[in-house]
Amino acid sequence: MVTLSNVELLKRVALFNSLSVSQAQLLLSATEKKRYKRNECIVEEGTKSNKLFVILSGTARVTLNTGNGRELSLALIQTGEFFGEMSLLDGQ
């Protein structure tokens, strides 16, 4: 099994693939790598966040609680995709 460096992982994400190695390393110095458990909540609706989340492996579901105890799946975010960029821009 080949293990990729954090720079190589970051450069696999379309948003960051044009960064030079030194730029990627600078960005990595401001990042935190975290593993989430299956079905663990990453961000809850209505909670302010100042983070950009990048899926390095696996998938994340975007869901909405409908109010009657049901959960509606809105999207599936896969390896190489990201979310949270809007809260970085508008602070919401």
Side-chain angles (χ1 to χ4, degrees), residues 28 68 72:
L28 283 168
N68 59 0
L72 177 65

Side-chain angles (χ1 to χ4, degrees), residues 50 71 92:
N50 62 352
E71 192 175 77
Q92 301 281 326

Side-chain angles (χ1 to χ4, degrees), residues 19-72:
L19 294 178
S20 69
V21 171
S22 61
Q23 289 170 323
Q25 288 171 330
L26 183 62
L27 180 59
L28 283 168
S29 70
T31 65
E32 172 188 354
K33 193 172 177 181
K34 184 171 181 186
R35 190 176 298 262
Y36 290 91
K37 295 177 185 171
R38 183 179 203 88
N39 295 321
E40 183 177 356
C41 181
I42 299 172
V43 178
E44 191 171 327
E45 181 182 7
T47 302
K48 290 186 180 184
S49 176
N50 62 352
K51 296 180 181 178
L52 172 70
F53 296 87
V54 178
I55 306 299
L56 296 178
S57 67
T59 58
R61 284 185 307 128
V62 179
T63 62
L64 176 67
N65 289 320
T66 62
N68 59 0
R70 302 183 98 186
E71 192 175 77
L72 177 65

Side-chain angles (χ1 to χ4, degrees), residues 46-50 84-92:
T47 302
K48 290 186 180 184
S49 176
N50 62 352
E85 72 281 3
M86 292 307 297
S87 62
L88 285 176
L89 298 173
D90 65 14
Q92 301 281 326

Side-chain angles (χ1 to χ4, degrees), residues 1-10 12 33 56:
M1 183 170 139
V2 175
T3 302
L4 298 175
S5 72
N6 288 340
V7 168
E8 291 168 320
L9 285 170
L10 188 64
R12 284 187 167 197
K33 193 172 177 181
L56 296 178

